[in-house]
Amino acid sequence: MMRSLSACFYLIKSNLVSQMRSYSFLFVIGISVFAGYACVPDAAAGYEIFYIGGVRGIYNSAWLGGLAAMLTTMLLWLFGFFMLRSQISGDARLKLGPLIASAPVRKIRYITAKAAANFVVLLVIGAVLLAAFMAMQLLRGESSQLRLTDYMAPFFFVTFPSLFLLASLTVLFDVFPGLKGVLGNVLFFCLWIAAGVVSIAAPSDWWDLFGVSGILNTMAHSAAEHYPALSSLEGGGSFGYYPTQGQIPTFVWQGAAWDSSLVPVRLVWIAVGVGGIVLSALLFRRFEHLEGSAKAHPLAPGREKAPALPLAAMEHSGSLQLSPAVRVKGARLPGRVKAELKLMLKGMSLWWTLPAIMLIAAPLLVTANSVNSLLPFIMIWPLALWSQMGTRDQHYFTTGLTLSCSSPLAKWWTEWLSGVFITLLFSAGAIIRFIAEDQMPALLAWGTGLLFIPTLALALGTLGGSKKLFEVIYLLWWYMGPLNHVPSLDFLGCPIGTLCFILCSLCFYSQQAQPSGSGRLEIYQ
């Protein structure tokens, strides 16, 4: 028993340490600290992030504790998931699968350790955000009485069970067949949107997964008591950037009723999370697919092995040499782009290709009133292709190999032109429709998006080294801009923002076009 607990402890510890050493963890911590500062603005700041009908509560522990709980669940359910969702796949990519498969650790312990480590990381981030709100209460000085119970109660009743369920989903999406890649990311993004909408409009605590509805309703009720004109207000408060003028009226909110009646609901969420962990353990194949691939390898056990050279002979042998890496002069830009397109399209199934063809031709077949509602969906289907840009070499550890055969600038142009070609291909039907109907402003705005999307994908892929950074930012941008037509974010249909997006594209271009090294493959002897 003690040996098993010790093994689980070290598994959790190793996963936790590896997470806290990553840049993504520091990035999310930085966002949490900034959110704590930006969401508690000074009275003369001229804006508010959260208020109710033009009024807000004073910055006491109850108000800021409730605000911290809502922000923690809403933000971490998006950014935390994408940060932690590939821990098991990461072990396979780093060739740790055979070691883990041969270790005396049962599947349930391995999956539980992964989920527990993710849960602890999420709690640490939530605790940092909570500490930031405490510091801002003392800094703003509207209420100097720091009451820990007002901060910890919503953290315990809302944040704790919600993040536990999220931790179980991070491992479930990493082992469930078909959900490891872009499809799983898109599905979880849709789940995040649906959970947010349901939590805000939830009639009971059973569906309030983010804990928003329970806190908002009590805040709105208290605001109506102090300002009767707000009694007819529907929907409570809302998050966003709201410019304000002058002093905002305030009121004192004493907090929600955190009592034992909420415990059964939270226990159900925890039980669902435990069920997700158990299901993940049942689906986890313990890297068995690696064995299948190893059988096909010429050096796999069971196959005829080449005679091993004695170590002493290798040390004193001067004949072991690698062939030099040479540049292929005949590899012109069109040939490189063609090869890059083959790599991008490799692995796309017929079920992906058929809808892609339908989306390309759809603008030519639907009525004029239906074209605008169709355009955003055309620009979401190639997400799996764009997200490969700038990440493939880092994913397969081939950066040194490719840079030894071509300059960084040539490699950048190859990937960028391939992304533009993919975007142009999916835009073919829309462009023909715009030209046929002489919609030049729409064509210009669409052309800006045609250049902007692959540039953004290549920049974020190169900076982040992973597909997830582009996928989460692009999905958010696409949801708020092209789908909901937020003017400053609609890169497909807002002529006013054309210049901004061109400048943004040029900025990304300048950053990526700089050579990052000599481009030579170094061989150590």
Side-chain angles (χ1 to χ4, degrees):
M1 183 66 180
M2 293 302 297
R3 187 175 180 180
S4 300
L5 292 177
S6 177
C8 288
F9 171 76
Y10 283 109
L11 275 174
I12 296 173
K13 180 183 177 181
S14 62
N15 291 326
L16 188 61
V17 170
S18 64
Q19 278 298 319
M20 290 187 172
R21 287 176 176 174
S22 64
Y23 289 109
S24 57
F25 177 78
L26 297 177
F27 178 73
V28 175
I29 288 291
I31 289 180
S32 301
V33 174
F34 176 75
Y37 172 79
C39 293
V40 191
D42 185 73
Y47 77 94
E48 284 293 336
I49 297 297
F50 175 77
Y51 70 165
I52 303 172
V55 302
R56 67 164 174 83
I58 66 169
Y59 293 149
N60 59 9
S61 298
W63 181 269
L64 295 183
L67 195 60
M70 291 188 290
L71 281 176
T72 301
T73 52
M74 288 191 296
L75 293 180
L76 286 187
W77 262 74
L78 182 64
F79 297 105
F81 173 82
F82 283 96
M83 183 183 73
L84 300 170
R85 65 149 301 175
S86 302
Q87 301 305 306
I88 300 173
S89 301
D91 285 347
R93 191 171 69 89
L94 295 175
K95 310 299 181 184
L96 297 177
L99 293 177
I100 297 172
S102 60
V105 178
R106 299 175 62 184
K107 292 194 297 183
I108 186 66
R109 291 176 185 169
Y110 176 75
I111 294 296
T112 302
K114 287 290 184 184
N118 291 348
F119 179 53
V120 174
V121 171
L122 293 171
L123 287 181
V124 169
I125 297 173
V128 170
L129 185 61
L130 201 64
F133 274 84
M134 292 180 183
M136 291 308 299
Q137 180 189 345
L138 299 177
L139 181 64
R140 297 305 181 208
E142 294 187 7
S143 174
S144 58
Q145 186 178 8
L146 193 64
R147 301 181 58 179
L148 291 180
T149 53
D150 288 342
Y151 281 100
M152 297 309 299
F155 189 83
F156 177 77
F157 282 100
V158 174
T159 307
F160 190 89
S162 181
L163 295 186
F164 182 82
L165 179 57
L166 174 61
S168 70
L169 292 180
T170 58
V171 294
L172 179 61
F173 272 68
D174 206 14
V175 300
F176 199 94
L179 297 184
K180 294 182 180 179
V182 178
L183 178 61
N185 293 339
V186 174
L187 287 178
F188 186 84
F189 183 80
C190 297
L191 175 64
W192 179 72
I193 295 292
V197 173
V198 172
S199 292
I200 293 175
S204 69
D205 293 329
W206 290 96
W207 302 101
D208 189 9
L209 188 58
F210 294 165
V212 176
S213 178
I215 297 176
L216 279 184
N217 289 336
T218 56
M219 287 180 171
H221 181 71
S222 179
E225 290 180 349
H226 290 82
Y227 301 95
L230 300 178
S231 57
S232 60
L233 182 68
E234 295 182 357
S238 59
F239 287 93
Y241 181 82
Y242 300 101
T244 59
Q245 295 181 350
Q247 193 74 19
I248 299 177
T250 59
F251 63 96
V252 178
W253 184 61
Q254 299 295 346
W258 306 108
D259 51 36
S260 58
S261 62
L262 299 174
V263 173
V265 180
R266 274 54 180 179
L267 289 178
V268 170
W269 294 354
I270 293 177
V272 174
V274 172
I277 294 174
V278 174
L279 178 60
S280 302
L282 294 175
L283 295 172
F284 181 50
R285 298 179 57 191
R286 203 180 177 87
F287 305 104
E288 292 174 358
H289 60 286
L290 296 177
E291 298 176 2
S293 60
K295 291 179 180 178
H297 196 278
L299 298 181
R303 286 185 172 267
E304 185 178 354
K305 297 182 179 179
L309 191 63
L311 180 60
M314 293 177 63
E315 293 177 348
H316 298 286
S317 175
S319 60
L320 184 60
Q321 294 181 353
L322 297 176
S323 59
V326 296
R327 297 176 185 272
V328 180
K329 296 182 179 179
R332 303 296 182 185
L333 186 59
R336 292 200 300 267
V337 172
K338 181 180 178 181
E340 181 67 24
L341 288 173
K342 286 184 177 178
L343 289 175
M344 294 178 72
L345 294 170
K346 185 178 181 181
M348 295 299 163
S349 65
L350 184 63
W351 299 109
W352 180 90
T353 305
L354 289 178
I357 295 173
M358 295 172 62
L359 284 173
I360 293 173
L364 303 175
L365 305 175
V366 299
T367 61
N369 295 330
S370 304
V371 171
N372 290 333
S373 59
L374 179 65
L375 295 180
F377 297 98
I378 298 176
M379 287 295 101
I380 195 64
W381 198 254
L383 181 63
L385 302 180
W386 291 322
S387 62
Q388 300 178 32
M389 300 174 64
T391 64
R392 189 182 303 110
D393 286 335
Q394 297 185 56
H395 182 81
Y396 294 106
F397 307 105
T398 56
T399 302
L401 181 63
T402 54
L403 289 181
S404 68
C405 303
S406 64
S407 67
L409 183 61
K411 182 176 178 297
W412 186 92
W413 271 110
T414 301
E415 289 194 71
W416 186 78
L417 288 175
S418 302
V420 171
F421 181 84
I422 290 292
T423 314
L424 182 63
L425 177 64
F426 274 83
S427 307
I431 292 175
I432 294 174
R433 186 66 178 262
F434 291 148
I435 295 175
E437 297 182 356
D438 196 21
Q439 299 181 12
M440 297 312 295
L443 181 62
L444 178 61
W446 189 271
T448 304
L450 190 147
L451 298 177
F452 174 72
I453 297 173
T455 309
L456 179 68
L458 184 55
L460 294 181
T462 305
L463 292 174
S466 170
K467 300 177 182 179
K468 291 183 292 185
L469 181 60
F470 169 72
E471 289 172 357
V472 64
I473 290 179
Y474 182 76
L475 283 172
L476 272 175
W477 206 323
W478 171 84
Y479 177 77
M480 292 186 291
L483 194 61
N484 288 291
H485 305 294
V486 176
S488 58
L489 297 176
D490 190 0
F491 53 84
L492 294 180
C494 180
I496 299 177
T498 298
L499 180 60
C500 298
F501 287 118
I502 289 178
L503 292 176
C504 188
S505 299
L506 291 176
C507 178
F508 282 135
Y509 167 77
S510 301
Q511 182 179 9
Q512 296 302 310
Q514 294 178 357
S516 58
S518 61
R520 292 289 182 185
L521 178 64
E522 297 181 357
I523 301 175
Y524 298 92
Q525 294 181 351

